[in-house]
Amino acid sequence: MRVRETAQRSSTRRRRSGERDGGLSTLPVLPIRDAVHFPDELSTLLVGREKSLRALDRALKTDRLLLVVAQKDVAIDEPEPSDLYRVGVVSEAVQALPVPDGTMRVVLRGQRRAEIAEIVSSHPFALAAIKPIEVTETHSSEMEALMRECASLFERVAQMSKQVPAEAVTSVMYIERPGRLADAVAHHLPVKPALKQQVLEAADTRERLDVVIRLLLSELEVLQVQQDIRSRVEREMGDTQREYYLREQLRVIQQELNERDERGSEIEDYAERIARAKMPEEVAEHAEHEIRRLEKMPSAAPEGVVIRTYLDWLCGLPWAVETDDTVDIRVAHRILDEDHYGLQNVKERIIEFLAVRQLTSRQKGPILCFVGPPGVGKTSIGRSIARSMGRKFVRVSLGGVRDEAEIRGHRRTYIGAMPGRIIQGIKQCGTRNPVFMLDEIDKLGMDFRGDPTAALLEALDPEQNDRFSDHYLEVPFDLSNVMFIMTANILDTVPPALQDRMETIRFPGYTEEEKLAIAKGFLLPQNLAEHGLTPSKLKMDDAALLMVIRSYTREAGVRGLEREIARVCRKVARKVAEGTTRSTTVRTKNLADYLGRRRYRYGVAEAEDQVAAATGLVYTEFGGDIITIEVSFVPGEGKNLLLTGQLGDVMKESAHAALTFVKSRVERLGGNAELFRKHDLHIHVPAGAVPKDGPSAGITIAVALASAVTGRRVHRDMVMTGEITLRGKVLPVGGIKEKMLAAHRAGMSNVILPKDNDADLADLPEVVRETMHFHLVSTVDEALRLALV
């Protein structure tokens, strides 16, 4: 009877499981991700996919049997048959409990290995026809050795890895069957599912133990490397961690004692400074983020010093500090006149700016560029502008700067990083609307570190400097209220893009009358005070001062004049200190006793009219100047032209153009054409140590050549400037005001100018227009008629 009942139960179970003809049975398929189940092992699983829930429901309603199969790719939500391994485990659903989120928690017990023969149905769940896998087990001394080796290796892995529970080691030690031991070890081993699947598919017990032992050896090697790395890191970080823990303990102790630690005080101090600085919202958020980083960082960390320096810069900038402008035009005009004599164009531009500011407060700061030779007052008038407006004054010299980071700052990734000179100047003055002078902008350099002039574009452009970004700060700063003033000796080296953003104001230099007034009203009283003298102890009459201007200096500005006056003051101060004199009056007759012999001869360039020599006017970075151009014919083949005197490319081209013109007109001029065929030509400009260039000497070279060819003398008091063409046209040139002042300083009375420069004469001082005669010409023939005797 017992045998019959057992057969009946087996028959009933086969019918419930859907046993098919040919000995194959069908079971619902339960795909699992990131895991592999083994026979005789209990596993807990959360089932949430719809097909999986239906397969589980089918099993619970029949015989509780499922085929648990691993997925090849864990990322697939709805696996197809090709996405599943062929070998799985027939498992019994021991327990199934619903979870509030709609999933089922099921406990599975593995029974035996099975292989999918075919997928019978895919809807509403996967139903597979399975074929049992026959497992062969043998017992021998070799098998016993493999089992002991496997258990020993597993124990070592469990000791080194925290992922293997201690009870798993204990349970493995009491397993006697080789196949069961291999399955248990593979079940607990922390390796990838694909490797575990290799163990599951090994039907032969010996092969299965070999696979597990290889996995254990590989895992031991990985764990050993991890342990070495962990030991090295802990050894390197030990001191830092120890200090951190000690400081944290100290902080807790101080809190228990109601004491305030230094770190908390520092963080609170930075928070208060940020609030007082009234930063823009985005800047304040950035600063608070840095404070949070500093708070979490150990106090001895190197990066903490970088963050503290950065926060000091952010908190020290005048984000909301402004000085009120003094918008009283009369007071400003009086201050400018007190500090500077002349310079009417500059003063008028400043007064115009203040007038506009008086009518509207939204006027952006202008970008002025003062261009002129040294010593004409470009820098000092910047201070006067700041005083007249009631603003603070900042001066930054850019001479020799070649690194772009000097303007826009260094990145904080570099050691010793600092903001650029603009932000440094803003912090130095303590207000966000100063008068900011960038001195000697024409002397900026450029190399592999970048182009500083390009970095200035953002700072000087009124359309975008309201969000100027310094590389060090990494937050925008508003420069739109800053009044930028730049100075330069010449504009040739300043890029056009930068010139386009500036308003150029020329400082041509001073006349003798203006220099005399400056010496009497400014330089002499200032030097008397600096040398401890009084007007009663030293007097210089006007004639002596004028002689100093004419015979001891030759400059557009007054810097050399100031040095000569200081030299006189020093010698008089010595006499007063020695007690040899109480009062000294310096006149023309005793001026040489203080300054020595005269350095320059005042008057025309030549003592008498000369042949083959003409006086011209040029414009340099030191202002206007006069030059003498000499021409000489030497015996030769008539093919060589020698140019000496350090002439630039432009002046060499002017010499060739003048030579071609004179050759084409030699007969009309009444000259000897044989000179050009039998003689070489030498053109020389004295003062060879000084480089000379520019389009101004064409007419001078032509006059000197014509004089040499015709033998006619050139008027010694005639000075000229202008460029010529091959057809004999005279072209206009620049720097007229500077050149006329140079001619006036040299005592020249007649000047030949291009006719197209007529409008430039209106800018000349009245004393120059009254004492000099200007001859406007449009052709070289007209200039020759005027210049040649």
Side-chain angles (χ1 to χ4, degrees):
M1 288 295 294
R2 188 173 299 165
V3 174
R4 186 180 301 166
E5 289 176 359
T6 303
Q8 289 177 354
R9 285 198 299 271
S10 176
S11 176
T12 303
R13 179 169 295 178
R14 283 197 299 271
R15 287 196 300 273
R16 289 179 178 177
S17 299
E19 184 175 320
R20 303 177 64 195
D21 295 338
L24 297 179
S25 61
T26 58
L27 286 178
V29 179
L30 180 63
I32 59 175
R33 292 190 281 197
D34 205 18
V36 175
H37 284 204
F38 288 91
D40 300 318
E41 295 292 340
L42 284 175
S43 301
T44 302
L45 185 66
L46 279 176
V47 181
R49 291 185 285 195
E50 177 129 5
K51 285 188 177 183
S52 299
L53 287 171
R54 291 182 179 180
L56 178 61
D57 183 61
R58 166 68 180 274
L60 292 175
K61 290 180 180 179
T62 56
D63 53 6
R64 292 180 172 267
L65 295 181
L66 291 159
L67 181 64
V68 181
V69 184
Q71 290 182 205
K72 297 177 182 178
D73 188 354
V74 299
I76 299 176
D77 289 330
E78 299 294 335
E80 299 294 332
S82 60
D83 298 323
L84 304 176
Y85 288 106
R86 304 300 296 177
V87 178
V89 176
V90 177
S91 303
E92 180 183 3
V94 179
Q95 187 182 37
L97 296 174
V99 181
D101 60 359
T103 60
M104 293 287 289
R105 183 184 300 275
V106 59
V107 179
L108 300 173
R109 178 188 288 116
Q111 293 186 353
R112 63 185 184 277
R113 286 171 168 80
E115 182 181 0
I116 298 176
E118 63 173 318
I119 300 296
V120 178
S121 173
S122 298
H123 298 285
F125 54 85
L127 188 65
I130 64 172
K131 181 172 63 176
I133 297 177
E134 297 296 333
V135 177
T136 59
E137 290 197 9
T138 58
H139 294 275
S140 62
S141 58
E142 182 182 2
M143 191 66 70
E144 182 68 24
L146 288 174
M147 290 178 64
R148 291 182 181 180
E149 177 68 14
C150 181
S152 174
L153 291 174
F154 181 66
E155 185 177 7
R156 290 173 58 189
V157 169
Q159 291 174 354
M160 298 179 66
S161 175
K162 298 179 180 180
Q163 300 182 29
V164 179
E167 58 270 15
V169 180
T170 304
S171 63
V172 164
M173 295 302 174
Y174 292 99
I175 297 176
E176 297 180 354
R177 291 189 294 118
R180 175 76 181 91
L181 175 65
D183 290 342
V185 171
H187 175 73
H188 294 291
L189 197 60
V191 296
K192 295 181 179 179
L195 300 176
K196 290 186 177 183
Q197 184 68 24
Q198 295 178 9
V199 180
L200 183 64
E201 293 178 358
D204 183 68
T205 306
R206 178 190 172 89
E207 179 186 355
R208 196 184 312 165
L209 278 173
D210 286 339
V211 173
V212 172
I213 290 174
R214 286 198 300 271
L215 292 178
L216 287 169
L217 291 173
S218 177
E219 186 66 17
L220 276 174
E221 185 178 355
V222 173
L223 290 173
Q224 185 63 47
V225 173
Q226 287 182 344
Q227 189 174 16
D228 293 342
I229 294 174
R230 189 181 302 112
S231 300
R232 187 170 68 252
V233 173
E234 289 176 353
R235 188 166 56 252
E236 294 175 355
M237 296 296 294
D239 294 340
T240 304
Q241 292 292 334
R242 178 173 175 273
E243 182 181 354
Y244 173 75
Y245 289 135
L246 289 176
R247 290 189 181 277
E248 287 298 313
Q249 291 175 0
L250 178 62
R251 183 179 63 84
V252 173
I253 293 172
Q254 288 176 335
Q255 288 179 351
E256 292 295 329
L257 296 175
N258 294 324
E259 294 181 357
R260 191 180 178 195
D261 64 326
E262 295 181 1
R263 171 59 65 87
S265 174
E266 181 184 40
I267 299 301
E268 292 180 11
D269 179 60
Y270 277 124
E272 294 175 0
R273 291 175 62 185
I274 290 174
R276 290 197 305 267
K278 297 181 180 179
M279 304 175 181
E281 183 177 353
E282 59 178 314
V283 180
E285 291 178 357
H286 187 75
E288 291 168 359
H289 172 71
E290 295 295 326
I291 287 181
R292 290 193 294 270
R293 288 183 58 204
L294 180 63
E295 188 175 12
K296 297 176 182 178
M297 191 176 298
S299 59
E303 192 176 356
V305 179
V306 177
I307 295 178
R308 291 184 184 92
T309 305
Y310 178 68
L311 288 173
D312 289 338
W313 273 101
L314 283 183
C315 298
L317 287 174
W319 298 96
V321 180
E322 286 188 355
T323 54
D324 296 330
D325 287 346
T326 303
V327 288
D328 191 333
I329 295 178
R330 289 172 295 182
V331 174
H333 204 293
R334 176 177 56 80
I335 291 175
L336 292 175
D337 287 339
E338 287 177 357
D339 293 347
H340 289 273
Y341 183 85
L343 303 178
Q344 296 303 320
N345 292 338
V346 181
K347 295 177 182 178
E348 288 179 8
R349 178 62 185 89
I350 302 304
I351 297 301
E352 290 170 0
F353 167 74
L354 292 177
V356 175
R357 178 56 63 93
Q358 184 174 346
L359 299 178
T360 175
S361 60
R362 297 181 181 179
Q363 176 75 9
K364 294 183 179 180
I367 313 296
L368 303 180
C369 183
F370 298 159
V371 181
V376 295
K378 300 187 296 298
T379 303
S380 59
I381 201 170
R383 294 190 178 90
S384 300
I385 292 172
R387 190 162 75 93
S388 65
M389 297 176 65
R391 293 190 181 189
K392 292 187 177 180
F393 178 75
V394 182
R395 175 185 173 272
V396 173
S397 178
L398 299 181
V401 172
R402 294 179 177 272
D403 191 352
E404 180 185 353
E406 292 287 334
I407 306 298
R408 299 192 63 177
H410 303 81
R411 301 284 183 184
R412 279 195 290 157
T413 53
Y414 297 107
I415 297 176
M418 292 289 287
R421 296 196 180 190
I422 294 179
I423 294 298
Q424 291 183 32
I426 294 294
K427 182 182 179 183
Q428 174 187 347
C429 68
T431 175
R432 67 173 190 167
N433 65 334
V435 174
F436 203 117
M437 174 164 283
L438 299 172
D439 216 357
E440 298 183 358
I441 193 173
D442 58 322
K443 295 177 178 60
L444 281 171
M446 179 178 65
D447 60 11
F448 64 93
R449 290 167 290 187
D451 185 2
T453 58
L456 282 173
L457 293 178
E458 182 183 357
L460 302 181
D461 192 344
E463 300 300 325
Q464 57 180 332
N465 64 1
D466 58 337
R467 293 184 62 84
F468 174 72
S469 177
D470 186 274
H471 288 161
Y472 180 82
L473 296 183
E474 296 179 347
V475 291
F477 190 88
D478 187 3
L479 296 178
S480 59
N481 293 322
V482 178
M483 182 176 181
F484 284 104
I485 298 177
M486 272 142 291
T487 68
N489 297 133
I490 54 175
L491 284 179
D492 296 347
T493 59
V494 180
L498 192 56
Q499 294 186 36
D500 183 62
R501 288 163 171 79
M502 304 183 302
E503 179 181 346
T504 302
I505 298 178
R506 297 277 181 178
F507 282 64
Y510 298 106
T511 63
E512 288 182 350
E513 290 73 12
E514 289 174 337
K515 288 183 178 181
L516 182 60
I518 292 172
K520 292 170 57 179
F522 296 91
L523 302 182
L524 184 57
Q526 177 182 346
N527 277 276
L528 289 175
E530 290 178 355
H531 291 83
L533 301 174
T534 61
S536 61
K537 295 179 180 179
L538 173 61
K539 297 179 181 179
M540 292 186 69
D541 60 16
D542 293 355
L545 289 173
L546 189 59
M547 180 176 288
V548 174
I549 295 170
R550 290 179 172 179
S551 302
Y552 291 90
T553 63
R554 180 163 290 179
E555 56 178 349
V558 293
R559 195 168 292 163
L561 176 60
E562 182 180 9
R563 286 194 292 265
E564 298 302 325
I565 293 176
R567 187 178 176 186
V568 173
C569 292
R570 288 195 301 271
K571 293 186 178 299
V572 173
R574 176 181 176 179
K575 292 182 178 181
V576 173
E578 291 174 347
T580 58
T581 182
R582 288 187 176 182
S583 176
T584 302
T585 300
V586 179
R587 296 185 173 88
T588 56
K589 60 183 180 180
N590 64 344
L591 182 62
D593 298 337
Y594 299 93
L595 299 182
R597 62 181 182 84
R598 300 183 183 184
R599 299 189 188 90
Y600 305 101
R601 183 171 63 87
Y602 178 76
V604 295
E606 301 292 342
E608 58 184 21
D609 298 340
Q610 298 289 324
V611 175
T615 304
L617 293 171
V618 293
Y619 176 70
T620 69
E621 61 179 324
F622 303 104
D625 200 1
I626 63 172
I627 60 172
T628 300
I629 296 180
E630 302 173 344
V631 175
S632 178
F633 285 96
V634 294
E637 298 179 357
K639 298 180 180 180
N640 297 324
L641 173 61
L642 181 61
L643 300 171
T644 56
Q646 281 210 49
L647 305 184
D649 293 337
V650 178
M651 285 194 69
K652 291 179 181 178
E653 292 176 0
S654 300
H656 284 283
L659 176 59
T660 301
F661 170 77
V662 173
K663 280 184 176 181
S664 65
R665 302 292 183 93
V666 63
E667 295 181 356
R668 184 186 303 180
L669 295 173
N672 184 6
E674 292 296 323
L675 285 174
F676 293 105
R677 287 191 284 269
K678 298 181 180 181
H679 293 76
D680 292 334
L681 185 61
H682 185 179
I683 299 177
H684 178 64
V685 182
V690 181
K692 312 168 190 68
D693 201 5
S696 299
I699 191 173
T700 312
I701 298 174
V703 170
L705 279 171
S707 173
V709 170
T710 60
R712 297 168 60 185
R713 299 175 182 272
V714 181
H715 287 289
R716 62 191 182 95
D717 63 343
M718 184 71 72
V719 67
M720 60 204 73
T721 183
E723 195 54 67
I724 66 171
T725 67
L726 297 180
R727 296 175 298 165
K729 300 291 184 181
V730 179
L731 303 179
V733 292
I736 293 297
K737 189 172 184 180
E738 291 83 352
K739 294 174 183 177
M740 297 306 103
L741 291 177
H744 182 263
R745 287 195 300 269
M748 307 297 284
S749 57
N750 291 278
V751 183
I752 297 177
L753 293 171
K755 191 172 185 179
D756 291 339
N757 286 119
D758 185 19
D760 297 324
L761 299 179
D763 296 334
L764 298 179
E766 185 177 354
V767 63
V768 176
R769 293 199 301 268
E770 291 178 352
T771 57
M772 299 182 68
H773 302 285
F774 304 102
H775 306 278
L776 302 176
V777 299
S778 57
T779 65
V780 180
D781 294 331
E782 297 177 22
L784 294 176
R785 284 195 293 269
L786 292 169
L788 298 180
V789 177

